[in-house]
Amino acid sequence: MAKASTPITIEASTREVKEAKGLQAELEGGVRGRKDPSIPQAPRDFRTPLRIGIAVIVLGIGSFLLWAAYAPLDEGVPSPGTLIVDSKRKTVQNAGSGIVKQIHVKEGDLVQADQLLITMDPVQSRAQREVADTLYTAARAAEARLLAEQRDAAFIEFPPDLLKRAQEANVAAIFNTQRQLFDARRQSLASELASYQQAISGLQAQSKGLVEIQEHRQVQVDTLGREFDLLAPLVRDGLYAKNRHQDIERQLSNAKAALTDGTASIARLASQIAETKLRINQRQQEFRKEVQAQLAEVAKEARAQAERLVALDDELRRTEVRAPSAARLLV
């Protein structure tokens, strides 16, 4: 008959329990710390791989910088653009809006490069072009007239490109208008200057007459002076009437006063002549300044209309839609 197991109680102190646990931990650590010689162990020195990585990075950056410094690159200007996938189908359309006047092809036709496809209504564009051309021609003709006035020429020299169109009705009308305006302004200025010249001539005639009168007055003064001096001793001796001698003295005084007044009048006439000549110079300067100002304005207008004509000519060309290349027309 089996005997029942009897539990055994072992009493141990706290110190003994701690020593037993420490011994057990050392045994377990020894088992785990054993190395299997068949399994490769990782190196514990990390400095060598770190150096290799840094060298690879430095070599890569240096190679890139060396390539960037010596590699031949084409020069260019950066510009925004749109990438469009090339295909065999091309869309043909007019650059601007307008009314279609005539379609010269139909769907499925084979067209050649630069073949006329559609004609837009050019009435509005042509009207704007005619207006711009009229303004341009008028500005150029006015510029030629002002240049002739600036040179004080006897007639206008129109530009050769306008003279080639002299047979056109609108150009001929512009030429006639500018010639009439040139003659009218020239005659007006000449008439104004002539009036000043007439005034100068009148003043000069008055001055000349006064000079002749002054010569007679001077003779009169000299004569009366000599007579007065010769009669003075006779008056003192009682041989000549004193009252008559006093009359001669009064005549001498009046003659001297008239002579002095005539001299002042001659001076005033000379001043008026100089002032009138100054007015002539001022009027001529004003006319030249006016011509210069108008010349700058019409030159600016001519340039503006020339640029507008270029734009309108391009717009007229675009009223004809043509095929960009040989192809079959698909609608």
Side-chain angles (χ1 to χ4, degrees), residues 63 99 106 118 163 177 202 237 283 292 307:
S63 301
I99 301 174
K106 60 182 181 296
I118 300 173
L163 289 175
T177 301
D237 295 338
R283 184 64 187 94
Q292 188 66 30
E307 295 176 357

Side-chain angles (χ1 to χ4, degrees), residues 12 14 31 55 57-58 69 80 91 100 106 114 116 120 122 131 169 171 184 191 214 260 275 315:
T14 303
V31 173
I57 294 173
V58 171
T91 301
V100 176
K106 60 182 181 296
D114 201 37
L116 182 60
M120 308 295 293
V131 172
V171 177
S191 176
Q214 287 293 93
T260 303
E275 183 179 355
E315 184 176 343

Side-chain angles (χ1 to χ4, degrees), residues 1 4 7 13 19 35 37 47 54 75 104 111 132 148 157 162 165 173 186 244 259 279:
M1 188 174 184
S13 63
E19 289 178 355
K35 300 178 180 179
R47 289 177 295 178
I54 293 174
E75 295 182 357
H104 302 275
V111 296
E157 295 181 2
L162 296 185
R165 302 172 52 194
R186 182 181 176 85
R244 294 183 64 183
L259 183 64
R279 289 180 181 177

Side-chain angles (χ1 to χ4, degrees), residues 125 128-129 132 307-317:
S125 299
Q128 293 178 357
R129 206 269 180 197
E307 295 176 357
R308 187 183 176 193
L309 278 175
V310 172
L312 290 174
D313 286 339
D314 182 67
E315 184 176 343
L316 277 175
R317 285 192 297 269

Side-chain angles (χ1 to χ4, degrees), residues 190-311:
S191 176
E192 188 174 355
L193 296 180
S195 64
Y196 286 133
Q197 290 294 344
Q198 290 178 358
I200 291 175
S201 299
L203 293 173
Q204 289 175 344
Q206 293 180 22
S207 178
K208 183 179 179 180
L210 283 176
V211 169
E212 294 177 356
I213 293 173
Q214 287 293 93
E215 292 176 354
H216 294 293
R217 287 173 179 173
Q218 185 64 49
V219 172
Q220 185 180 8
V221 168
D222 294 341
T223 302
L224 291 174
R226 285 193 301 269
E227 184 178 359
F228 179 80
D229 294 338
L230 290 173
L231 294 175
L234 297 178
V235 173
R236 285 194 301 268
D237 295 338
L239 300 176
Y240 190 79
K242 187 176 181 179
N243 57 348
R244 294 183 64 183
H245 189 261
Q246 289 176 350
D247 291 338
I248 294 173
E249 184 180 6
R250 283 194 296 270
Q251 292 177 8
L252 178 61
S253 297
N254 292 334
K256 288 182 178 179
L259 183 64
T260 303
D261 184 65
T263 303
S265 297
I266 292 174
R268 285 195 299 270
L269 290 173
S271 177
Q272 291 177 5
I273 291 172
E275 183 179 355
T276 306
K277 290 181 178 179
L278 180 61
R279 289 180 181 177
I280 291 175
N281 293 331
Q282 289 177 347
R283 184 64 187 94
Q284 290 174 340
Q285 292 179 0
E286 290 175 358
F287 183 79
R288 285 192 291 267
K289 288 181 180 179
E290 180 184 354
V291 169
Q292 188 66 30
Q294 293 181 4
L295 188 60
E297 292 179 0
V298 297
K300 181 179 179 181
E301 176 68 14
R303 289 193 298 269
Q305 295 302 327
E307 295 176 357
R308 187 183 176 193
L309 278 175
V310 172

Side-chain angles (χ1 to χ4, degrees), residues 147-166:
L147 289 174
E149 292 178 353
Q150 191 179 52
R151 297 191 306 267
D152 195 20
F155 56 90
I156 305 174
E157 295 181 2
F158 292 106
D161 57 328
L162 296 185
L163 289 175
K164 294 178 180 178
R165 302 172 52 194

